[in-house]
Amino acid sequence: MTGSAAPRRAGVLGHPIGHSLSPTLHRAAYAALGIDWEYDAYDVDSGGLGAFIEGLDGSWAGLSLTMPLKVEAVPLMDFVEPMAKLVGGCNTVLLQNVGGARHLVGANTDVWGIQAAFREAGVTAASSGLILGGGATATSAMAALGSLGVTAPYVAVRSRGRAGGLLRAATRMGVAPRFVTFEEVPALAAHVDVAVSTVPAAAGAEIASTLVSVSEGAALLDAVYEPLVTPLGARWAALGGVRIGGERMLLHQAGEQIRLMTGREAPLAAMDDAMTRVLHI
């Protein structure tokens, strides 16, 4: 809305939330689009999403969700879009007015963000892939790699018992993940076309210390963006691979949220500029 109309509202929810770049990206988009919207960060821990949504008035257009709320959101929705249903998690909630009543739509833009980050790096197809981690972001990575052609990715987890959501999603996708240990990662890195790391920077650093080779030109998307260049990303690039920073995934998933919430194409260049300034790239 513009002029004297009341501003629409949106925000990012999660715990912890202080580090989130979502306000920077969304506010930059609103400014570039010339719309009078507000966007803030809200610390909401597990179990608190339902009450938060209940307290929202009609000015709210949407929510961005980060951990630990993505899975919790699914049963709260009136409708869950196919991709969110497939991966079993929503990182986006659209608050729509249907016949005078609020209607909650759950969506997932993480998959889009990963796909777009790979496309931006020139990766449009792959036959083999490796995913580090087994949580919600890893599940989105599995869907994204599936769209590139990887139907049996290696998935490195410390405990298969904590990867139940990923395994259930794999069954829905028709994907057959091959679970491996972190100790097996160095050998696999020498043969895969693409990789996605969803583990913290410290865990990635442990893996980096054991890497001796990667497939030439193989692309690694490291979902971490603090630090901007992780030890794993730096080691991967030093061995001849292509490093894709987590901020690229973040930019593109936020851009898709902008499109869904506002109905307008996201001004990615303006959002990228704002993110670059904050991250001192």
Side-chain angles (χ1 to χ4, degrees), residues 41-67:
Y42 300 86
D43 196 299
V44 178
D45 207 345
S46 179
L49 180 59
F52 186 93
I53 291 175
E54 282 298 314
L56 302 181
D57 62 26
S59 68
W60 285 79
L63 304 172
S64 308
L65 303 181
T66 186
M67 296 305 293

Side-chain angles (χ1 to χ4, degrees), residues 7-11 27 30 35-40 42 60 62:
R8 299 301 305 275
R9 299 180 67 187
R27 290 169 184 169
Y30 301 160
I35 57 177
D36 186 17
W37 283 40
E38 298 176 355
Y39 190 100
D40 293 295
Y42 300 86
W60 285 79

